[in-house]
Amino acid sequence: VFVPGRKIKPGDMITYIASEYEEPEIDPRYRIIFEDEHFIAVNKSGNLPVHPSGVFFRNTLVMLLEKDLGAKFFPVHRLDRETSGAILFGKSSEAASMMQKNFGSFAKSYRAVVRGVPENAEFTVDVPIGQARVSAIRKKREAYAGAPEQSCTRFSVLSASVNSAFLEAVPVTGRMHQIRVHLKYAGCPIIGDKLYGEDETVYLDYVEHGLTESVIERAGFSRCALHSYGIGFVHPFTGRDIKIHALLPGDMEKLAGDLGLAVV
């Protein structure tokens, strides 16, 4: 019997009986781009959660991989649901743990389509991140002096048009939402980013009504136009230098083309 406020003690058994519900639709497409006896990396779509969380359980990349390949997989790192691209899994918890210990030394590269054109072809945002100081959204974050999490991202402009740009982002640190928050700070928010765009009421509208035509029009794209392009690391078992690249998906290529941006 559930008793609110009761403290759990050693030996207690907890049973959770989940009710049947329909999970939100996803884009289940993924492509294996690297595999050996210890690890597997895939290029995932831009509407696919990595692991069970919130309203997603079966409709996740982990569950799809385990169903399709008949084995257990352990994420080495995370990508947001709307971020497409390369993500690495261990084929055992030990392999994933070994990678996670050295994840800060990984070479990571992202691609983003943003509003506005940065003044410099190369620039760095070295500003700490914390919870947003003034926002109606509890999980929103913000870059500002004195924030608790030291954060640094390097950016390069790969191509630009009148009002938009195609960027490379290289995170030096690994904070939650770091690239998105730092681009918001730099005045070049990612197109389609409902949380860190120019108007956060787009996100509130999305939460209440879903991905409507109005939300897409106001955000400028159906998802956050961010792609995990490359991962480089030293293999912990073989010592080999591994470089993995994930091709840009068609939706971001079309967005860039429509904005007059060259995809390089």
Side-chain angles (χ1 to χ4, degrees):
V1 178
F2 175 70
V3 179
R6 176 185 171 185
K7 293 184 178 180
I8 299 173
K9 300 177 181 179
D12 285 351
M13 179 178 291
I14 301 173
T15 302
Y16 171 68
I17 302 175
S19 59
E20 289 295 325
Y21 68 95
E22 186 174 348
E23 296 181 32
E25 291 186 4
I26 60 167
D27 180 348
R29 291 176 295 175
Y30 68 86
R31 179 172 176 264
I32 297 173
I33 54 177
F34 171 82
E35 185 175 11
D36 67 9
E37 63 180 307
H38 301 287
F39 302 100
I40 186 171
V42 306
N43 182 358
K44 83 174 189 72
S45 77
N47 181 17
L48 182 57
V50 172
H51 49 77
S53 178
V55 296
F56 293 98
F57 183 76
R58 298 177 184 85
N59 291 351
T60 60
L61 179 55
V62 168
M63 291 299 184
L64 289 173
L65 285 173
E66 293 181 356
K67 178 182 177 183
D68 294 345
L69 303 181
K72 293 284 290 183
F73 295 96
F74 304 85
V76 172
H77 57 116
R78 296 185 178 188
L79 290 180
D80 293 336
R81 176 174 62 86
E82 293 189 3
T83 301
S84 57
I87 182 166
L88 183 66
F89 295 85
K91 291 187 174 180
S92 67
S93 59
E94 292 79 13
S97 178
M98 289 182 69
M99 279 292 206
Q100 289 165 349
K101 290 177 182 177
N102 297 313
F103 192 67
S105 65
F106 280 29
K108 300 176 284 290
S109 173
Y110 290 75
R111 300 289 187 267
V113 182
V114 304
R115 299 183 189 276
V117 180
E119 293 183 3
N120 301 310
E122 296 185 352
F123 62 102
T124 298
V125 178
D126 189 0
V127 181
I129 291 173
Q131 186 173 358
R133 293 166 292 181
V134 180
S135 175
I137 303 167
R138 184 170 54 184
K139 73 174 185 177
K140 189 171 183 177
R141 316 194 83 218
E142 182 185 4
Y144 59 92
E149 299 176 19
Q150 184 60 44
S151 306
C152 181
T153 314
R154 297 196 300 266
F155 297 98
S156 300
V157 178
L158 301 178
S159 64
S161 59
V162 177
N163 296 313
S164 57
F166 183 56
L167 306 183
E168 177 185 35
V170 177
V172 178
T173 55
R175 307 303 185 186
M176 186 175 72
H177 298 175
Q178 177 176 310
I179 294 172
R180 299 163 63 190
V181 173
H182 274 172
L183 284 171
K184 171 72 172 179
Y185 177 88
C188 295
I190 299 174
I191 294 177
D193 193 335
K194 295 173 280 294
L195 184 58
Y196 297 105
E198 297 172 325
D199 181 1
E200 71 174 25
T201 64
V202 176
Y203 179 79
L204 298 173
D205 189 4
Y206 169 67
V207 170
E208 185 172 355
H209 300 108
L211 190 63
T212 62
E213 289 299 322
S214 173
V215 167
I216 295 173
E217 181 178 357
R218 293 172 66 198
F221 193 46
S222 60
R223 69 174 178 94
C224 181
L226 181 64
H227 178 74
S228 172
Y229 175 74
I231 305 172
F233 58 91
V234 175
H235 199 295
F237 294 98
T238 67
R240 292 173 52 209
D241 286 327
I242 306 294
K243 292 181 174 61
I244 300 168
H245 290 97
L247 294 176
L248 200 71
D251 63 347
M252 280 186 63
E253 282 193 339
K254 183 178 186 306
L255 173 66
D258 291 345
L259 294 170
L261 299 169
V263 175
V264 293

